């Protein structure tokens, strides 16, 4: 069928240099088994990449855009005709947001606070598209949401339903 | 009952596991605790437990038993619960799960929640993974939120709308009113997502596109916003390395591309801003280049003036020289797209492109290779071939087949001399001999045959090539064939081009026999070798007995192909020895019809008819065999003979054999088909001896046309031609047209006639019938009706229309008498 000229991130993976998955966000529906297979395959491909190669890998009918930040690989799968250079900026912006929230973010932050990493991502991207281009507002929304979370006492006392 | 352990504590504990088994044990223990906690319907710790479950899920362990718990969390009043609940839903409750739809009501309520962060969670979840039904149910809520003044929610609603449209395209219309004021927003988030939404709508619907171009005057609005972005001062919030909101700039450029495509007015309106962005964007960092890249793509896709196009190609040229590999990569990708339309401009960057062949990056190499082939022409062919042959030598195996094919093609088109051509072929065969595609072999053989003055040189070089190593099948096949044909030149040392080698007849037979015996030789290769040996019986003088012996041995080979050949050759020696010299004569020069692609030459008693092969068969490759089966199903009745039509896909070189089999013992008039069997397909069956043109010159004029079929907007007309000199043949040209408002695709026409007739279908002009009668598919049918019986035909039509597969059978009974009497 017709290929649309649409920016659509298919999925985002974060993994360590040993291939351990730290975050997976899928914007398409796939069986769990299939997702696992894809993750294994892609981790293998990217970990095998030579340092002096480009950040882009042709994979099936998609393109993988990846970049390593310290011990973490960030990998985005985009449509074949999408703007790869801009995707690199998207990845970089996400790292900046994490850094702003956690303060000098490192892999351990993502490991122990994975749910926050997801919250931040969901504040930045919806349905594979960037929702806000401001450096501050995504983090501010998360911080405000954090404030909304009940304290332990509040939590215990508030009725669930 | 102690409280379940906290999330972070669990993470810490699991990380201390030293083996996979230890980890699994910890996980199982914790899962058991969580399960019993779920069973107890504990509200307090549900959130904590689900969070832990999500962590374990990321490690790869099953978490489906937490699905309903996520639903409960979403329904909870506590924000903490909702946050984890929605996260869990996005991870565990995709549309394939039975309980997915149970979320709908909760999401609906939360879309109307008093707290915007709750609304945000709902919008995000719906926009990331809502199923079609859910989207249908909640589209109205999304549309409402698209009109809110709260920019935090508005931007999310816009992306949610995008998702809804992707899932349920029919709902696109309902979002149209809400888009009216979207671009008046100051908030960058809303602007960005609005542009995304507008892009989605314009790409999906030509009506929307027209509407936004004309009625909404979208182009001037976008130009204005883009201009403001570029001119405005420093905005710390949206700045990336001195560039203001590159994300928004790129999305605007992309939307402009869609609006400007095929539209002169729109393209003109954006000309200036594109030139401005192209010249003023800072290029020192990736972000600037990302914008330039998008600008180039837009310029190349719209109706831009030539000055702008040249500017764009020059940007790409500069990209090629950039140290950053990523930039070089996108440059090559883009140049590949434009090389056909802006060939001369791209030629200027040829040497840089060729340098990229040496890059370490596989993707860059591939693009450089494809571009290089696109740039070869008569002037640069020697230099380019040198580089490409060097590349063939050193590149990764995944490239070799394509590279070899590309070199053959280019050599055929632009060879400066026959010697150069043969040398190039040799070089490819010896360097990448095992990667050469099978269909290249007959092509090469034909080339060699036609280079008459090079025969001695060619056979000598080929002989030397396989002496040391006869494992590369395509090389061995070509070599065997040549040795069989020109072995006499080989042993008589007649080579002019280079120092002739000394080789005896026995030595030649040694190598051919080694090929026959070797385990590395494919069956096909053995066939070549045996036939070559046989041919040498008329070219060699001293070793005929040896040849007889070899041939008789293979008369009992278990390989049926070899056995058949050997038996036939044996017969030649015994009963038909007087025919042997004539049969094994040197192959004549084959007439070639030049086309743009690799051609398969079909020998028809001295006449030739090219059958053009496509190198990449389209995905809907119908095999002749399966079509015959369909027709057999179709026909049922015993008085009808099924026929295999030709379809617009590539066929393997031996396809002609199938046609021949089907149409039985048609006597091929003229000299016997030469026994040596290069894989050249058999002549077309039906019209031997007749001029091989699709239409006749001496047509019987005035046969009325008929409408053979007219249903559901599909109309098929038949027009007729007959030759006065051969009235048994009627040539029917069918024209299929489509009066509906949607194209008909994958159209296949099949026909069957009564047994006394014979039918040949030639390839159709295409497989798409455009809507509104704006074009037709034509196809030629040749009918042989020697008994001048009344023409009848049963036809079967298959095509795709409005998203469904259509099929129909019909009888055509209204043939005018002039078409068959």
């Amino acid at each position: 069928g017709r290929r649309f000229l649409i920016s659509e991130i298919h999925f985002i993976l974060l993994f360590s240099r040993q291939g351990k998955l730290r975050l997976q966000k899928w914007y398409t529906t796939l069986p769990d088994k299939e997702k696992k297979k894809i993750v294994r395959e892609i981790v293998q491909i990217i970990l095998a990449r030579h340092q002096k190669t480009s950040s882009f890998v042709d994979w099936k009918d998609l393109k993988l855009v990846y970049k390593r930040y310290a011990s973490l690989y960030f990998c985005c799968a985009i449509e074949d005709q999408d703007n790869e250079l801009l995707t690199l900026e998207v990845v970089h912006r996400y790292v900046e947001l994490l850094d702003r929230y956690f303060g000098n973010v490192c892999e351990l932050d993502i490991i122990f606070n994975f749910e926050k990493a997801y919250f931040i991502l969901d504040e930045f991207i919806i349905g594979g598209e960037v929702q806000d281009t401001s450096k501050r507002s995504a983090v501010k929304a998360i911080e405000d949401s954090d404030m909304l979370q009940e304290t332990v006492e509040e939590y215990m006392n508030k009725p669930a339903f | 009952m102690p409280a379940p352990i906290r999330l972070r504590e669990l993470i810490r504990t699991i990380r201390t596991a030293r083996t996979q088994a230890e980890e699994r044990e910890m996980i199982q223990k914790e899962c058991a605790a969580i399960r019993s906690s779920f069973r107890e319907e504990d509200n307090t710790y549900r959130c904590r437990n689900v969070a832990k479950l999500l962590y374990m899920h990321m490690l790869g362990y099953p978490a489906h038993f937490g699905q309903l718990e996520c639903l409960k969390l979403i329904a909870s009043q506590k924000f903490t619960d909702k946050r984890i609940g929605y996260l869990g839903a996005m991870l565990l409750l995709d549309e394939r799960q039975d309980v997915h739809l149970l979320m709908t009501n909760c999401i609906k309520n939360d879309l109307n929640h008093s707290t915007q962060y709750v609304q945000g969670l709902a919008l995000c979840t719906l926009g990331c993974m809502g199923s079609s039904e859910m989207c249908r149910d909640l589209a109205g809520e999304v549309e409402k939120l698209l009109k809110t003044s709260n920019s935090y929610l508005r931007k999310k609603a816009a992306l949610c709308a995008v998702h809804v449209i992707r899932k349920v395209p029919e709902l696109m219309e309902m979002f149209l009113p809400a888009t009216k004021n979207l671009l008046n927003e100051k908030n960058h988030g809303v602007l960005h997502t609005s542009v995304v939404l507008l892009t989605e709508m314009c790409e999906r619907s030509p009506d929307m596109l027209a509407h936004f171009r004309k009625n909404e005057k979208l182009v001037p609005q976008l130009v204005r916003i883009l201009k403001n972005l570029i001119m405005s001062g420093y905005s710390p919030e949206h700045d990336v390395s001195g560039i203001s909101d590159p994300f928004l700039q790129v999305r605007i450029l992309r939307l402009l591309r869609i609006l400007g495509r095929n539209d002169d007015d729109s393209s003109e309106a954006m000309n200036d801003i594109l030139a401005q962005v192209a010249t003023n964007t800072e290029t020192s960092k990736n972000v600037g280049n990302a914008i330039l890249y998008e600008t180039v793509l837009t310029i190349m896709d719209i109706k831009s003036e030539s000055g702008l196009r040249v500017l764009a190609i020059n940007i790409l040229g500069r990209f090629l020289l950039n140290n950053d590999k990523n930039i070089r990569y996108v440059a090559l990708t883009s140049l590949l797209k434009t090389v056909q339309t802006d060939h001369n401009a791209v030629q200027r960057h040829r040497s840089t492109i060729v340098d990229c062949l040496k890059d370490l990056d596989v993707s860059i190499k591939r693009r450089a290779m494809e571009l290089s082939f696109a740039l070869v022409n008569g002037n640069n062919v020697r230099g380019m071939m040198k580089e490409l042959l060097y590349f063939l030598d050193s590149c990764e195996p995944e490239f070799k087949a394509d590279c070899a094919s590309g070199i053959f093609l280019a050599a055929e088109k632009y060879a400066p001399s026959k010697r150069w051509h043969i040398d190039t072929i040799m070089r490819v065969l010896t360097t990448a001999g095992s990667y050469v595609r099978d269909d290249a072999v007959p092509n090469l053989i034909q080339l060699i045959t036609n280079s008459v003055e090079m025969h001695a040189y060619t056979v000598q070089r080929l002989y030397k090539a396989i002496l040391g190593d006869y494992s590369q099948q395509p090389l061995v096949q070509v070599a065997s064939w040549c040795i069989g044909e020109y072995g006499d030149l080989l042993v008589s040392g007649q080579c002019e081009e280079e120092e002739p080698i000394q080789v005896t007849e026995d030595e030649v037979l040694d190598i051919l026999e080694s090929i026959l015996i070797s385990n590395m030789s494919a069956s096909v290769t053995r066939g070549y070798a045996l036939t070559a040996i046989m041919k040498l019986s008329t070219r060699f003088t001293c070793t005929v007995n040896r040849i007889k012996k070899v041939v008789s041995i293979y008369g009992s080979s278990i390989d049926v192909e070899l056995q058949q050949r050997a038996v036939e050759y044996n017969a030649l020696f015994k009963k038909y020895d007087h025919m042997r010299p004539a049969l094994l004569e040197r192959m004549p020069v084959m007439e070639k019809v030049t086309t743009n692609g690799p051609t398969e030459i079909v020998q028809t008693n001295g006449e030739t008819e090219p059958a053009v092969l496509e190198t990449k068969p389209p995905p809907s490759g119908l095999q002749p065999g399966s079509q015959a089966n369909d027709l057999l199903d179709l026909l049922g009745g015993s008085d009808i003979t099924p026929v295999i039509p030709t379809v617009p896909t590539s066929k393997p070189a031996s396809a002609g054999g199938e046609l021949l089999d089907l149409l039985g013992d048609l006597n091929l008039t003229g000299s016997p088909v030469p026994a040596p069997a290069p894989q050249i397909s058999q002549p077309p069956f039906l019209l031997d001896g007749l001029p091989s043109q699709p239409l006749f010159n001496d047509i019987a004029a005035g046969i009325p046309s008929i409408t053979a079929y007219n249903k559901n907007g599909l109309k098929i007309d038949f027009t007729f031609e007959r030759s006065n000199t051969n009235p048994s043949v009627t040539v029917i040209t069918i024209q299929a047209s489509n009066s509906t408002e949607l194209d008909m695709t994958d159209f296949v026409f099949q026909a069957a006639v009564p047994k006394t007739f014979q039918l040949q279908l030639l390839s159709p002009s295409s497989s798409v019938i455009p809507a509104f009668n704006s074009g037709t598919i034509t196809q030629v049918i040749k009918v042989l009706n020697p008994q001048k019986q009344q023409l009848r035909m049963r036809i079967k039509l298959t095509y795709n229309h409005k998203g469904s597969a259509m099929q129909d059978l019909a009888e055509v009974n209204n043939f005018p008498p002039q078409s068959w009497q």
Side-chain angles (χ1 to χ4, degrees):
Chain A
R2 252 181 83 201
R3 297 303 291 270
F4 292 105
L5 208 94
I6 297 160
S7 160
E8 204 181 302
I9 299 175
H10 283 237
F11 54 84
I12 300 176
L13 303 174
L14 266 66
F15 52 91
S16 71
R17 286 207 287 209
Q18 289 74 42
K20 290 221 122 191
L21 198 60
R22 300 301 180 205
L23 184 145
Q24 53 174 336
K25 185 76 188 184
W26 299 81
Y27 297 108
T28 59
T29 309
L30 289 166
D32 247 4
K33 230 181 187 163
E34 186 70 31
K35 287 182 191 170
K36 282 194 177 149
K37 188 159 160 263
I38 291 174
V39 170
R40 261 198 313 267
E41 203 182 309
I42 288 179
V43 167
Q44 209 177 14
I45 291 173
I46 290 182
L47 288 179
R49 291 275 284 185
H50 195 275
Q51 256 209 342
K52 292 203 187 291
T53 55
S54 67
S55 306
F56 315 125
V57 180
D58 295 315
W59 183 77
K60 307 218 172 143
D61 58 346
L62 298 175
K63 206 167 292 179
L64 304 175
V65 177
Y66 71 96
K67 195 158 170 170
R68 185 166 72 79
Y69 289 85
S71 59
L72 261 186
Y73 281 90
F74 287 68
C75 175
C76 265
I78 58 173
E79 290 279 317
D80 191 42
Q81 354 103 43
D82 209 337
N83 186 328
E84 304 93 322
L85 299 181
L86 191 74
T87 309
L88 279 174
E89 294 300 320
V90 171
V91 169
H92 191 73
R93 174 57 63 87
Y94 179 48
V95 175
E96 282 181 329
L97 294 174
L98 290 169
D99 194 63
R100 186 180 276 254
Y101 180 79
F102 287 109
N104 287 327
V105 67
C106 63
E107 191 185 345
L108 277 178
D109 290 322
I110 312 283
I111 294 171
F112 279 95
N113 303 282
F114 72 94
E115 84 277 15
K116 295 282 165 63
Y118 274 104
F119 295 154
I120 295 170
L121 182 60
D122 287 338
E123 209 48 55
F124 178 41
I125 294 174
I126 287 182
E129 306 277 1
V130 168
Q131 75 185 265
D132 205 315
T133 56
S134 150
K135 288 184 218 176
R136 277 189 311 204
S137 62
V139 175
K140 182 163 187 308
I142 300 299
E143 286 169 350
D144 286 354
S145 298
D146 288 347
M147 299 293 280
L148 264 188
Q149 283 196 205
E150 295 82 3
T151 63
V152 175
E153 212 187 299
E154 285 171 345
Y155 190 88
M156 296 301 190
N157 293 331
K158 200 172 179 180
F161 305 109
Chain B
M1 176 69 158
I5 67 167
R6 295 168 181 276
L7 169 65
R8 322 243 180 262
E9 209 186 302
L10 176 70
I11 297 176
R12 206 169 296 127
T13 311
I14 291 179
R15 281 169 63 76
T16 62
R18 277 160 302 170
T19 64
Q20 186 74 9
E22 212 180 314
E23 182 187 277
R24 213 174 311 137
E25 209 183 300
M26 292 177 185
I27 301 268
Q28 274 170 357
K29 189 160 153 243
E30 185 57 36
C31 274
I34 292 177
R35 280 184 126 116
S36 49
S37 180
F38 284 162
R39 270 196 297 270
E40 286 161 24
E41 300 276 348
D42 181 290
N43 286 336
T44 320
Y45 296 111
R46 179 177 290 119
C47 180
R48 182 184 291 182
N49 284 331
V50 168
K52 287 186 286 184
L53 197 57
L54 294 179
Y55 177 74
M56 296 188 286
H57 178 249
M58 182 147 63
L59 293 179
Y61 296 92
H64 46 274
F65 58 91
Q67 285 176 357
L68 280 173
E69 305 303 313
C70 292
L71 279 174
K72 293 177 196 165
L73 284 175
I74 292 174
S76 159
Q77 285 187 36
K78 303 181 204 177
F79 184 69
T80 312
D81 284 353
K82 281 191 191 289
R83 242 183 159 187
I84 295 292
Y86 276 115
L87 178 60
M90 284 194 272
L91 289 171
L92 302 179
L93 278 175
D94 65 39
E95 59 187 328
R96 298 173 63 254
Q97 311 307 325
D98 299 329
V99 296
H100 174 85
L101 275 178
L102 294 178
M103 280 197 284
T104 312
N105 217 39
C106 279
I107 294 182
K108 184 170 189 176
N109 291 335
D110 284 343
L111 284 174
N112 292 303
H113 203 275
S114 49
T115 310
Q116 70 174 15
Y117 294 113
V118 173
Q119 291 174 289
L121 288 174
L123 280 168
C124 177
T125 305
L126 180 58
C128 280
M129 43 86 86
S131 65
S132 310
E133 289 112 279
M134 198 184 284
C135 286
R136 258 185 240 274
D137 285 343
L138 301 175
E141 304 297 326
V142 175
E143 199 261 345
K144 253 185 356 208
L145 287 169
L146 195 49
K147 298 191 278 210
T148 175
S149 53
N150 180 337
S151 48
Y152 177 77
L153 293 176
R154 212 170 182 200
K155 68 184 188 210
K156 291 179 194 277
L159 289 185
C160 213
V162 170
H163 179 80
V164 169
I165 291 173
R166 284 177 184 164
K167 288 305 244 185
V168 193
E170 306 95 76
L171 292 176
M172 190 179 350
E173 289 270 341
M174 71 182 282
F175 294 109
L176 187 54
T179 63
K180 255 201 170 345
N181 296 314
L182 278 176
L183 293 184
N184 294 332
E185 269 268 7
K186 294 273 177 282
N187 179 291
H188 281 232
V190 178
L191 276 175
H192 187 275
T193 58
S194 302
V195 172
V196 172
L197 176 57
L198 291 167
T199 307
E200 184 77 32
M201 294 168 104
C202 288
E203 259 292 63
R204 273 189 193 266
S205 159
D207 289 337
M208 285 284 180
L209 179 59
H211 167 78
F212 282 115
R213 264 191 197 132
K214 296 195 187 75
N215 306 341
E216 300 293 338
K217 308 226 185 297
L218 200 46
V219 175
Q221 281 188 67
L222 292 170
V223 169
R224 179 180 45 84
I225 298 173
L226 192 49
K227 210 174 227 160
N228 285 338
L229 276 176
I230 302 172
M231 309 294 234
S232 67
Y234 176 69
S235 155
E237 232 188 292
H238 302 105
D239 177 275
V240 180
S241 301
I243 296 183
S244 185
D245 206 339
F247 303 102
L248 182 55
Q249 287 197 41
V250 166
R251 291 316 304 248
I252 291 178
L253 287 163
R254 194 168 306 165
L255 182 51
L256 285 174
R257 179 142 113 239
I258 295 169
L259 291 166
R261 242 194 222 143
N262 294 324
D263 191 275
D264 288 317
D265 291 334
S266 300
S267 298
E268 208 191 303
M270 58 182 78
N271 197 75
D272 287 347
I273 192 71
L274 290 176
Q276 201 178 350
V277 175
T279 30
N280 291 336
T281 307
E282 181 65 48
T283 61
S284 55
K285 293 264 176 71
N286 179 69
V287 60
N289 289 318
I291 294 177
L292 275 179
Y293 180 38
E294 194 73 38
T295 312
V296 165
L297 292 176
T298 299
I299 292 174
M300 302 311 288
D301 224 0
I302 65 171
K303 302 208 144 206
S304 40
E305 339 170 315
S306 61
L308 204 52
R309 288 184 88 85
V310 170
L311 184 59
I313 303 239
N314 288 344
I315 291 176
L316 292 179
R318 281 204 304 277
F319 274 8
L320 270 183
L321 298 168
N322 198 308
N323 277 329
D324 186 336
K325 280 188 190 293
N326 295 336
I327 311 280
R328 289 213 296 282
Y329 174 100
V330 303
L332 287 169
T333 308
S334 316
L335 285 170
L336 202 50
K337 288 192 204 140
T338 71
V339 70
Q340 302 302 334
T341 45
D342 296 87
H343 191 89
N344 290 331
V346 180
Q347 277 282 2
R348 270 182 231 127
H349 305 283
R350 194 179 66 244
S351 55
T352 323
I353 291 169
V354 166
D355 280 341
C356 291
L357 285 172
K358 305 188 181 88
D359 204 296
L360 276 173
D361 184 309
V362 163
S363 314
I364 289 182
K365 266 201 265 221
R366 172 164 288 281
R367 281 159 175 78
M369 180 185 82
E370 287 175 27
L371 251 180
S372 299
F373 281 124
L375 291 175
V376 177
N377 61 28
N379 294 326
N380 59 36
V381 64
R382 281 187 196 267
M384 288 297 275
M385 277 299 130
K386 217 155 130 202
E387 297 284 350
L388 287 162
L389 282 167
Y390 181 76
F391 176 70
L392 181 67
D393 249 329
S394 51
C395 68
E396 286 82 350
E398 64 200 85
F399 290 123
K400 289 204 196 255
D402 286 335
C403 190
S405 297
I407 291 177
F408 284 146
L409 234 146
E412 209 176 300
K413 276 204 252 187
Y414 302 113
S417 75
K418 284 226 159 100
R419 159 96 189 246
W420 181 93
H421 197 173
I422 302 282
D423 281 342
T424 304
I425 291 175
M426 288 295 310
R427 178 80 184 273
V428 174
L429 284 175
T430 48
T431 331
S434 40
Y435 295 98
V436 167
R437 295 208 167 86
D438 291 339
D439 58 6
V441 171
N443 213 25
L444 296 175
I445 286 175
Q446 182 257 322
L447 271 164
I448 291 169
T449 308
N450 289 0
S451 315
V452 178
E453 63 277 22
M454 304 296 302
H455 285 170
Y457 172 70
T458 309
V459 69
Q460 177 162 300
R461 287 213 54 196
L462 281 168
Y463 174 78
K464 284 199 279 191
I466 61 170
L467 254 187
D469 166 23
Y470 40 86
S471 61
Q472 302 190 86
Q473 301 304 294
L475 170 62
V476 174
Q477 287 168 15
V478 176
S480 303
W481 191 91
C482 282
I483 293 172
E485 280 290 308
Y486 314 122
D488 50 325
L489 301 177
L490 189 57
V491 299
S492 64
Q494 281 182 35
C495 186
E496 279 173 9
E497 301 281 342
E498 63 176 23
E499 184 68 37
I501 57 171
Q502 310 290 342
V503 59
T504 66
E505 293 184 6
D506 276 306
E507 283 169 332
V508 173
L509 289 172
D510 282 342
I511 187 83
L512 286 174
E513 281 195 58
S514 310
I515 293 167
L516 262 177
I517 299 170
S518 166
N519 285 328
M520 291 186 289
S521 298
S523 178
V524 163
T525 311
R526 290 208 181 92
Y528 273 93
L530 185 60
T531 303
I533 291 175
M534 185 60 190
K535 285 191 215 176
L536 291 173
S537 73
T538 57
R539 291 158 175 71
F540 283 178
T541 47
C542 337
T543 46
V544 183
N545 283 329
R546 179 176 174 181
I547 293 175
K548 275 193 196 168
K549 215 152 120 207
V550 172
V551 165
S552 71
I553 291 174
Y554 279 88
S556 43
S557 164
I558 39 170
D559 182 329
V560 176
E561 279 287 323
L562 275 175
Q563 194 193 104
Q564 178 176 359
R565 278 167 221 265
V567 164
E568 288 174 0
Y569 296 160
N570 239 349
L572 268 182
F573 273 124
K574 302 216 163 74
K575 261 173 71 178
Y576 300 98
D577 203 45
H578 56 283
M579 286 173 70
R580 189 164 49 92
L583 278 171
L584 300 177
E585 219 173 52
R586 196 78 101 227
M587 286 289 273
V589 169
M590 299 177 218
E591 210 182 276
K592 187 170 175 226
V593 178
T594 46
T595 62
N596 281 331
T599 53
E600 170 197 275
I601 302 306
V602 175
Q603 181 121 16
T604 323
N605 305 323
E607 296 161 319
T608 56
E609 195 167 277
V612 179
L613 282 176
E614 292 166 354
T615 44
K616 288 199 179 111
S620 58
L622 293 165
Q623 291 307 308
S626 62
Q627 290 234 315
N629 287 336
D630 287 349
L631 283 172
L632 285 168
D633 289 344
L634 156 69
L635 296 167
S638 52
D639 62 334
I640 306 259
T641 319
V643 154
I644 300 170
T646 56
V647 283
T649 58
S650 72
K651 288 197 279 197
S654 53
E658 292 161 56
L659 291 170
L660 194 61
D661 288 343
L662 177 72
L663 292 152
D665 342 280
L666 226 59
N667 253 334
L668 300 174
T669 54
S671 54
V673 178
Q679 302 278 299
I680 294 175
S681 86
Q682 295 307 303
F685 51 96
L686 185 58
L687 298 170
D688 285 343
L690 291 173
S692 50
Q693 294 153 340
L695 299 169
F696 298 122
N697 286 332
D698 50 347
I699 20 176
I703 307 177
S705 318
I706 58 168
T707 296
Y709 177 92
N710 194 350
K711 215 164 126 186
N712 297 328
L714 172 62
K715 184 156 91 96
I716 300 183
D717 293 322
F718 283 10
T719 50
F720 303 95
E721 282 165 276
R722 283 172 82 185
S723 164
N724 283 324
T725 53
N726 191 352
S728 318
V729 179
T730 307
V731 177
I732 306 174
T733 303
I734 73 160
Q735 284 221 323
S737 59
N738 167 12
S739 63
T740 69
E741 71 274 18
L742 277 176
D743 293 356
M744 294 172 180
T745 59
D746 301 308
F747 179 79
V748 177
F749 176 94
Q750 293 168 271
V753 286
K755 229 184 190 129
T756 52
F757 297 74
Q758 287 185 31
L759 198 119
Q760 179 189 12
L761 247 71
L762 302 189
S763 297
S765 57
S766 91
S767 63
V768 175
I769 318 181
F772 301 114
N773 291 322
S774 56
T776 60
I777 289 179
T778 53
Q779 190 165 8
V780 172
I781 312 174
K782 293 183 190 174
V783 180
L784 183 66
N785 180 8
Q787 295 176 30
K788 301 246 180 86
Q789 300 220 326
Q790 179 176 22
L791 194 46
R792 281 159 48 211
M793 195 183 277
R794 212 174 268 177
I795 62 178
K796 179 177 176 184
L797 311 162
T798 54
Y799 57 97
N800 289 329
H801 191 230
K802 296 184 181 163
S804 348
M806 309 281 292
Q807 185 178 296
D808 200 4
L809 303 170
E811 284 234 25
V812 184
N813 287 320
N814 53 336
F815 288 100
Q818 302 96 311
S819 65
W820 52 268
Q821 262 173 355

